[in-house]
Amino acid sequence: MRRNLVFLIDTSNSMRWHDKLAAAKIALAQFVDTLRPDETFTIQAFGSKGTEDLWGSAYGTDEEKSEAKKFIGNLSAGGWETNLHEAFLEALLRAKHDVENSDDDVVTILVTLSDAYATRGVTDRRKIAKHIFDLNSDRSVKIFNMGFRDSADMQLLDAIALMNGGLSSPIVQGRDFSDQIGNFLQSELGEILLSDVSLSYETISGARVYGETQSKLPVLADGYEVVTRGLIESDESFENQLEALTQAYTTNGSMNWKVSAAPTVDESASSSLCFQSYASDRITQLMRLHEAADFIGDDLSKNFVILKNDCKSEKFRDCVKQEALDLAIEANLVVKGLTAMVTVDEKKCATPDEDAEICVDGMSPDGVTFRPSYSDQSGEEADLEYHNDAVATAESAPMSPYSSGSPRGTYYYSASWRLQSYTALALAAIVSSFLLMHI
């Protein structure tokens, strides 16, 4: 399928630091080279104004691409404020204008690279997300967002992408910035084969299929596969036949594909690696939606996921988090913001009663309070003090990361705890919502 791309690039002053803008310019210029002559693109730079500089729209001919790369090379960072709201709306209006003048085999995508929170114009994050969603209510423009994790508002960027049929990705320190940006552009927005991909499932016997992981994709690029996981509510009458229906737009219009398979039913799957892998994907999906619910609202959130059980809470987001928590406990997964791993000395730990399995009173077997400590991978110990600057090392355990959505400077960790002076660790238990570090 042909692409119509609108690149929205942050050129506020913070992009000078760590050569962020220089890296972005390298990656963007390289990606522009991949555009075909029948594809169109626009480049919009933003800072304190929604549009600081503008190039395009133009076709991807060699001449136009050469001019675009000169424009990219001349971009410079300046200004201390960021008008994220105005930038998104102006870029979205340009993209929607292109949609109205495009053929059916064209996919219009807005690609944003941001390095800051909104500090000028409309700064209310919920209003920014809502105004973008309202303008793009038909979701004719797919929004893909990248942000530098150390400084961008990743929670807002991810919510905007989720609400507008796109994806988001953080750019992290310690790895080449231009490689990360280029890899995201090429892998997600390279040669597009399908758009508006939707998968649904049903069984011949009528057994319920539920808990599916992401089953709708904005686009599918060449070289990628679609993997959706779910659970089947089986019984004695279950017939081992599962039908999968795929719907998507292609260069030839809307098309459907149906395939059948005979899955193996394993009643003990909850203890298997297969189930843990499924649970990790599903929890990531649920927690992403839970964070985005602050911007989307509960009513709209219901359009993005089907829960295992009917939600009886007034807040749909609470049901989303509860399902994620239940699944983490069932699969024995450590998930930041939900669960943590606690390890104790089973034989020597003081317990509140005979039936207790873990020590919960903070006492040693001699009735003396202990100071908790942690060990790093080299086995060296360090004291963990109770103050906001405390640092803990996470124990190696199955982790389920989801998109960075915490406010700036807030991180969650899980850690291995042990009683000082005792080294025999035997029992591992999952406990809910254990916040170990806050900076």
Side-chain angles (χ1 to χ4, degrees):
M1 302 186 72
R2 292 184 292 158
R3 296 166 295 180
N4 171 49
L5 300 169
V6 177
F7 298 102
L8 181 59
I9 309 299
D10 189 345
T11 56
S12 59
N13 200 61
S14 60
M15 288 289 285
R16 296 178 186 269
W17 304 337
H18 307 294
D19 294 324
K20 294 176 181 178
L21 182 57
K25 290 161 67 172
I26 292 172
L28 182 56
Q30 291 175 343
F31 188 71
V32 164
D33 271 333
T34 69
L35 298 176
R36 302 194 305 262
D38 60 348
E39 297 179 316
T40 53
F41 66 108
T42 302
I43 304 171
Q44 174 185 329
F46 73 96
S48 58
K49 296 187 294 184
T51 302
E52 295 285 359
D53 291 292
L54 181 67
W55 185 92
S57 172
Y59 283 97
T61 62
D62 289 341
E63 181 180 356
E64 295 291 0
K65 289 190 291 187
S66 177
E67 291 298 319
K69 287 188 288 185
K70 291 179 182 178
F71 173 84
I72 294 170
N74 290 329
L75 289 175
S76 60
W80 290 102
E81 293 185 303
T82 304
N83 198 328
L84 202 60
H85 176 262
E86 189 175 274
F88 261 112
L89 294 186
E90 291 180 0
L92 187 55
L93 285 171
R94 291 187 172 101
K96 291 185 71 66
H97 177 267
D98 292 338
V99 170
E100 296 173 357
N101 297 281
S102 298
D103 297 329
D104 292 339
D105 65 337
V106 175
V107 183
T108 299
I109 302 170
L110 169 59
V111 187
T112 304
L113 175 62
S114 174
D115 184 49
Y117 280 59
T119 57
R120 186 180 178 90
V122 176
T123 59
D124 186 296
R125 302 158 83 206
R126 294 179 181 175
K127 288 183 178 179
I128 294 173
K130 185 179 185 303
H131 292 169
I132 295 170
F133 179 78
D134 288 345
L135 182 58
N136 193 37
S137 58
D138 58 356
R139 302 181 86 177
S140 58
V141 178
K142 293 156 179 60
I143 300 180
F144 285 66
N145 293 327
M146 292 175 286
F148 290 91
R149 178 177 282 174
D150 63 333
S151 51
D153 190 345
M154 286 308 304
Q155 187 179 15
L156 175 59
L157 293 177
D158 189 60
I160 291 172
L162 178 64
M163 297 166 70
N164 293 274
L167 298 172
S168 68
S169 178
I171 303 166
V172 299
Q173 290 278 7
R175 293 167 51 197
D176 187 275
F177 288 154
S178 61
D179 283 349
Q180 293 181 69
I181 298 169
N183 289 339
F184 178 81
L185 292 173
Q186 192 58 46
S187 62
E188 301 295 345
L189 305 173
E191 186 176 349
I192 295 176
L193 304 178
L194 305 172
S195 72
D196 300 287
V197 183
S198 175
L199 297 95
S200 58
Y201 302 87
E202 60 183 22
T203 61
I204 300 299
S205 65
R208 180 189 177 203
V209 179
Y210 65 96
E212 297 98 320
T213 57
Q214 185 176 358
S215 59
K216 294 183 179 181
L217 299 173
V219 294
L220 179 64
D222 187 20
Y224 271 65
E225 297 178 341
V226 177
V227 177
T228 297
R229 308 179 186 192
L231 301 176
I232 300 175
E233 198 169 60
S234 62
D235 53 33
E236 295 180 358
S237 63
F238 175 70
E239 298 179 17
N240 293 335
Q241 195 70 18
L242 179 69
E243 290 187 341
L245 175 64
T246 303
Q247 297 176 303
Y249 282 96
T250 71
T251 54
N252 298 318
S254 178
M255 297 187 67
N256 299 329
W257 299 269
K258 179 179 284 189
V259 295
S260 299
T264 300
V265 179
D266 182 4
E267 297 296 340
S268 63
S270 62
S271 61
S272 69
L273 290 176
C274 178
F275 181 75
Q276 284 192 327
S277 178
Y278 155 74
S280 176
D281 280 357
R282 176 67 171 176
I283 291 168
T284 299
Q285 174 193 21
L286 292 171
M287 293 306 295
R288 181 188 180 203
L289 178 59
H290 178 264
E291 291 184 341
D294 287 341
F295 307 97
I296 299 174
D298 288 307
D299 290 338
L300 188 58
S301 297
K302 298 175 183 177
N303 297 326
F304 294 98
V305 71
I306 299 177
L307 298 180
K308 176 182 178 181
N309 301 311
D310 293 336
C311 180
K312 298 181 180 179
S313 171
E314 293 183 359
K315 293 185 177 181
F316 184 75
R317 72 191 71 182
D318 292 342
C319 296
V320 171
K321 186 173 184 179
Q322 186 62 50
E323 180 168 318
L325 175 60
D326 293 343
L327 193 54
I329 294 174
E330 183 180 359
N332 293 321
L333 289 177
V334 177
V335 183
K336 63 178 181 180
L338 281 180
T339 58
M341 176 170 285
V342 176
T343 57
V344 300
D345 188 327
E346 185 181 41
K347 296 181 179 179
K348 298 179 181 180
C349 179
T351 59
D353 57 62
E354 295 180 356
D355 296 327
E357 295 180 341
I358 62 173
C359 178
V360 294
D361 58 2
M363 305 294 287
S364 73
D366 298 326
V368 180
T369 58
F370 67 94
R371 291 184 66 190
S373 65
Y374 68 91
S375 298
D376 60 21
Q377 294 180 350
S378 65
E380 298 178 356
E381 293 186 3
D383 290 332
L384 179 65
E385 300 177 354
Y386 292 105
H387 57 70
N388 287 340
D389 295 325
V391 177
T393 299
E395 174 169 315
S396 178
M399 297 296 293
S400 175
Y402 54 93
S403 63
S404 174
S406 303
R408 181 165 24 181
T410 302
Y411 303 89
Y412 295 88
Y413 289 81
S414 300
S416 172
W417 290 77
R418 31 189 207 108
L419 294 178
Q420 195 174 27
S421 303
Y422 298 98
T423 59
L425 302 180
L427 178 65
I430 300 296
V431 296
S432 172
S433 300
F434 201 158
L435 176 63
L436 294 184
M437 186 179 83
H438 178 86
I439 15 183

